[in-house]
Amino acid sequence: MNAQPLGQFEDWLPGGGAIDLPGADLDWLATARQRALASARALGVPTARHEAWRYTSLKGLIEQAFTPYGAAAPGARPDDLEAHLIAGLDSHRVVLVDGRFAPGLSDLGDLPAGLRIAGLGQLLSQDPDALQGRLTGVAGTGAHLFAALNTVAMRDGLVVLVEPGVRLARPIELIHLAVGTERPGVAQPRTLIALGEGAEATLVERFVGTDEARCCTNLVGEVALGRAATLGHYRVQTEGAQTFHISALHIALESQSRYRGLNVGLGAAWARTDLVARFAGEGAECDLSGLYLAGDRQLIDFHLDVDHAVPGCASRERFKGVLHGKGRAVFDGRVLVARDAQQSDAEMVNNNLLLSANAEIDTKPQLEIYADDVKCSHGTTVGQIEPETLFYLRARGIPAIEARRMLCLAFAEEILADLRPLGPLHGHVAELVGARLERVAFD
Amino acid sequence: MLTIKGLRASVAGREILTGLDLDVGPGEVHAIMGPNGSGKSTLSYVLAGRDGYEVTGGEVRFDGDDLLDLDPEERAQRGLFLAFQYPVELPGVNNTYFLKAALNAIRTARGEAALDSVSFMRLMKERLKVLHLDETLLKRDVNAGFSGGEKKRNEIFQMAMLEPRLAILDETDSGLDIDALRLVADGVNALRSPERSMIVVTHYQRLLDYIQPDHVHVLAKGRIIRSGGKELAMELEEKGYGWITGEEAA
Ligand SMILES: Nc1ncnc2c1ncn2[C@@H]1O[C@H](COP(=O)(O)OP(=O)(O)OP(=O)(O)O)[C@@H](O)[C@H]1O
Ligand SMILES: [Mg+2]
């Protein structure tokens, strides 16, 4: 294999100080890091010639010359967090500041029996056995260069372990708070969520920051669902206007398990999300949905990769986008149905609303089906607000601009409705979407 | 209240309204009947201000003002209401939210204070009762997944909420079962008042048994070709349109 230079991203690797990475003394982790490094060097820096990066230029990311934060603990004050909290959302709260677990800002009192929540760095030094066979077990070397770099360089993040049969009453809320330093920095947090057989949990994962912070998030998440386990995973990305966001989430589903993931992409200047799901046992269900809004100087990119490796599983992908100003978005949904994966059920929909002639969406649903007894469908639309619909609202006295906003909100609500069981979270996100649409100049 | 003189309008380059005259006074109910494709819905849309309908001649005055000069929302704010022949489905837009936005937009435009939630809910429940409608309607999205008849009833509910001064009902009776027709007609009658005028487009004389019109007009080939009283509707029911359109041609 050819070892390729990684240019700017050489800096993202731990330098001579790799020794100070947590878990440096663990053989299994050292092996995983070595494999990831080899994979990174084999992959090299993606360019527009790589299909998965065709519409997603790294130019801006490279120009920013982000470098990793050091080993020092981050300096966020409670005030930095306060502005981002959602009133009335009752949760087990974990805060990562620039990728580092911040116990002082977290709220982990009253954890029920069978639920373990810990910082990754902490667990690597105190109880690494709890991680062996799990950490990197789902993601492998990762979806792309950045995921591989995360594996090589990860030092902290979040671990959630739910014992078999445990059903959590309260959601877990993970807040990724980007604060940043003078120097543009990259945080490379790692999350591992593992649910035992029959366990049930809800995870709210939020990415927040300020418009002033010049920083980058390079996250890798791993979700391992045991037999008949159920996870509701609600991810809301509202990072600041100068933030670059990369996140790769890998999900492994044992038989009869259910994963229901909702991804809201509103913030950041440039955001790339990979959702990679693999069925490992029959009768499992994976539901991925998403809503993205992209405006001026903003790119939002979702890549989905669902692997029906075994028979009898169902996957559903439902993504909707609203593009305004000079906003750009990419939707690349790939579903693979293996030859033996009979009785698979796969449905993929991507609908986009273009509010301006300068906005752009590149959408590419791909179904690769090698089995013959399957139910698969996909549909993509790119359109504007229907004149007939707009007229109906205006004929009731609602001014044109307000009518357009209402219709955009309604379009978004078809996805956001899934947040309703989470009460205040739904209100919070609907308000953010509404506020964004307030600023959109229609026509 | 509404005066239409020599109105001509084209859709997609084809002239549909060919010089239409109509005068509707305060409190009057006018029925318009006519063959399929004669231009009844076109007239409704031109009055409500839908895009794509090019007015090529004539004029329309509403309370003395040039109606055609106004945006659709301004017309609604001044009290014009169109119950659509084919109401639009709005998935994701809750009925209550929609009506509140509409009513308050109209009130604000008239310089009245917006209704608070409590008064608004009270008003909605009162109007639902008058129309014998179920409260579940308030929780549903506007017309989304509604049956044909439910959509028509929802149009009448909206009319009851917005209290227009001129209501145009475009075939609100089509697709209604006998009981629903009765309910809709009762609802419309409950809204009749000396200040509220109505134009009722229908194919069926039966509706006019329930909603007694002051005038009946026959629209054919884009013009009113015959006007009369209630007895004209009965004659049409008996003899068909050929009786008049034929006479016209002769
Ligand atoms: N958007 C359009 N493009 C082309 N032709 C149109 C359009 N809208 C209406 N027309 C034509 O205009 C004519 C009048 O249509 P309109 O809908 O007004 O008839 P109507 O009297 O309401 O008929 P019905 O009783 O069937 O409802 C028809 O010939 C119709 O095909
Ligand atoms: Mg019609």
Side-chain angles (χ1 to χ4, degrees):
Chain A
M1 239 184 307
N2 239 346
Q4 307 197 44
L6 302 178
Q8 161 61 37
F9 303 110
E10 292 285 346
D11 287 349
W12 291 26
L13 295 167
I19 296 299
D20 85 337
L21 284 176
D25 52 336
L26 302 168
D27 285 345
W28 60 268
L29 186 56
T31 308
R33 291 198 202 266
Q34 275 157 20
R35 280 212 194 104
L37 181 59
S39 161
R41 294 235 174 265
L43 288 166
V45 179
T47 68
R49 282 191 302 278
H50 294 76
E51 194 52 34
W53 296 88
R54 214 165 119 198
Y55 305 105
T56 309
S57 163
L58 297 182
K59 191 162 167 282
L61 180 68
I62 292 169
E63 277 168 10
Q64 294 290 326
F66 292 112
T67 52
Y69 298 114
R77 291 160 297 126
D79 284 1
D80 296 326
L81 179 67
E82 202 58 40
H84 300 290
L85 294 180
I86 298 171
L89 184 66
D90 180 26
S91 64
H92 304 291
R93 190 177 70 219
V94 189
V95 181
L96 301 184
V97 177
D98 291 327
R100 307 298 299 275
F101 177 46
L105 298 181
S106 302
D107 179 2
L108 293 173
D110 292 333
L111 290 192
L115 168 63
R116 185 168 190 187
I117 299 182
L120 175 66
Q122 192 184 40
L123 208 56
L124 276 172
S125 56
Q126 291 169 8
D127 186 11
D129 291 351
L131 295 168
Q132 184 166 6
R134 284 175 159 158
L135 189 64
T136 73
V138 180
T141 53
H144 46 53
L145 170 70
F146 304 101
L149 292 178
N150 176 292
T151 298
V152 181
M154 62 178 160
R155 47 170 82 242
D156 208 350
L158 172 72
V159 179
V160 175
L161 304 174
V162 187
E163 298 286 319
V166 172
R167 297 175 169 192
L168 301 182
R170 288 157 76 194
I172 299 163
E173 183 184 16
L174 166 60
I175 302 179
H176 297 269
L177 172 63
V179 174
T181 51
E182 301 274 289
R183 201 163 43 84
V186 53
Q188 309 202 65
R190 181 78 166 215
T191 61
L192 169 66
I193 317 296
L195 270 59
E197 177 166 343
E200 280 184 32
T202 300
L203 173 66
V204 175
E205 187 171 11
R206 299 168 54 218
F207 300 86
V208 300
T210 62
D211 284 340
E212 290 72 47
R214 250 201 317 146
C215 49
C216 178
T217 303
N218 178 30
L219 168 89
V220 171
E222 297 184 86
V223 172
L225 300 185
R227 216 189 75 77
T230 301
L231 180 68
H233 192 177
Y234 304 91
R235 310 176 87 220
V236 181
Q237 187 271 105
T238 55
E239 290 179 312
Q242 299 193 71
T243 303
F244 285 68
H245 176 99
I246 308 169
S247 73
L249 183 70
H250 294 257
I251 305 146
L253 297 103
E254 287 298 339
S255 64
Q256 310 292 329
S257 64
R258 288 193 61 193
Y259 177 84
R260 170 178 278 252
L262 189 141
N263 295 266
V264 178
L266 293 179
W270 182 100
R272 163 66 177 249
T273 301
D274 284 73
L275 303 172
V276 184
R278 186 166 198 279
F279 291 112
E282 298 187 21
E285 285 175 35
C286 181
D287 186 329
L288 304 173
S289 62
L291 171 73
Y292 45 90
L293 263 75
D296 286 345
R297 291 180 295 283
Q298 205 180 15
L299 167 80
I300 299 198
D301 174 0
F302 278 102
H303 268 64
L304 275 46
D305 200 340
V306 178
D307 185 358
H308 283 260
V310 296
C313 294
S315 68
R316 198 160 79 107
E317 292 81 42
R318 220 162 23 108
F319 275 68
K320 295 182 105 178
V322 178
L323 292 307
H324 59 94
K326 290 184 185 144
R328 287 192 50 218
V330 180
F331 175 83
D332 187 326
R334 177 167 172 269
V335 176
L336 176 72
V337 181
R339 209 171 47 161
D340 299 332
Q342 302 297 359
Q343 314 268 291
S344 291
D345 187 342
E347 184 193 340
M348 176 159 44
V349 184
N350 176 229
N351 304 122
N352 298 280
L353 203 48
L354 284 186
L355 301 180
S356 97
N358 295 319
E360 187 184 322
I361 167 78
D362 294 291
T363 172
K364 200 173 70 169
Q366 316 170 60
L367 294 183
E368 287 178 37
I369 302 164
Y370 299 101
D372 44 29
D373 180 16
V374 298
K375 216 173 99 198
C376 295
S377 69
H378 70 84
T380 308
T381 60
V382 177
Q384 283 93 33
I385 291 172
E386 294 284 340
E388 188 191 355
T389 309
L390 183 63
F391 173 64
Y392 188 74
L393 276 81
R394 297 178 74 190
R396 295 294 175 258
I398 301 171
I401 292 207
E402 197 187 329
R404 286 196 176 91
R405 267 187 210 123
M406 279 175 71
L407 293 171
C408 288
L409 266 177
F411 178 83
E413 183 57 28
E414 285 191 89
I415 297 293
L416 297 184
D418 286 357
L419 291 174
R420 282 191 183 155
L422 286 123
L425 181 65
H426 176 265
H428 173 79
V429 177
E431 219 164 90
L432 289 174
V433 172
R436 169 73 84 83
L437 292 170
E438 285 287 323
R439 298 199 301 272
V440 171
F442 288 97
D443 294 333
Chain B
M1 161 168 286
L2 181 78
T3 314
I4 305 175
K5 278 200 191 117
L7 183 63
R8 291 174 173 274
S10 305
V11 186
R14 200 180 121 209
E15 185 163 78
I16 307 293
L17 300 183
T18 56
L20 186 142
D21 299 300
L22 184 67
D23 234 311
V24 180
E28 292 176 0
V29 172
H30 290 242
I32 296 184
M33 306 181 81
N36 294 131
S38 56
K40 302 180 300 295
S41 292
T42 302
L43 172 64
S44 307
Y45 285 141
V46 168
L47 293 178
R50 184 173 172 165
D51 278 346
Y53 292 78
E54 197 198 346
V55 175
T56 52
E59 64 165 10
V60 180
R61 302 230 152 240
F62 186 48
D63 291 332
D65 294 330
D66 181 359
L67 184 74
L68 302 177
D69 203 31
L70 303 174
D71 284 336
E73 54 267 41
E74 290 172 320
R75 300 181 196 198
Q77 289 157 5
R78 290 187 187 209
L80 188 113
F81 180 91
L82 168 63
F84 285 61
Q85 182 174 2
Y86 304 108
V88 176
E89 299 199 13
L90 304 178
V93 181
N94 169 266
N95 236 338
T96 301
Y97 172 73
F98 175 68
L99 272 173
K100 195 166 180 215
L103 182 61
N104 282 336
I106 291 173
R107 290 179 66 99
T108 316
R110 289 181 187 160
E112 296 164 19
L115 273 195
D116 62 63
S117 297
V118 176
S119 332
F120 179 75
M121 280 312 288
R122 201 182 304 129
L123 182 66
M124 278 208 304
K125 292 196 172 159
E126 178 198 311
R127 294 296 141 90
L128 279 176
K129 213 184 255 163
V130 173
L131 296 172
H132 301 278
L133 292 171
D134 198 275
E135 282 194 19
T136 50
L137 181 65
L138 305 182
K139 295 213 168 64
R140 297 180 69 179
D141 288 348
V142 183
N143 299 330
F146 283 29
S147 74
E150 286 173 330
K151 285 181 186 169
K152 299 301 180 81
R153 275 182 277 181
N154 199 26
E155 293 290 286
I156 296 305
F157 175 53
Q158 291 179 22
M159 173 172 86
M161 286 299 295
L162 302 180
E163 303 182 329
R165 299 183 45 250
L166 173 65
I168 304 164
L169 310 186
D170 190 359
E171 291 196 32
T172 302
D173 54 334
S174 304
L176 289 181
D177 65 43
I178 299 162
D179 294 341
L181 181 68
R182 185 84 227 207
L183 289 178
V184 163
D186 286 350
V188 169
N189 285 329
L191 291 167
R192 280 182 83 157
S193 88
E195 297 85 46
R196 184 168 293 130
S197 313
M198 297 191 193
I199 297 175
V200 179
V201 174
T202 182
H203 285 296
Y204 307 105
Q205 195 261 329
R206 193 173 55 212
L207 178 71
L208 305 180
D209 285 342
Y210 297 127
I211 305 174
Q212 299 270 335
D214 300 301
H215 302 274
V216 174
H217 310 276
V218 177
L219 199 163
K221 300 202 178 88
R223 291 192 295 135
I224 304 283
I225 57 162
R226 175 74 71 99
S227 297
K230 208 186 152 297
E231 67 293 342
L232 178 56
M234 298 205 265
E235 232 169 327
L236 284 169
E237 184 91 353
E238 210 175 291
K239 301 181 184 165
Y241 291 115
W243 160 60
I244 305 179
T245 50
E247 177 191 87
E248 220 335 78

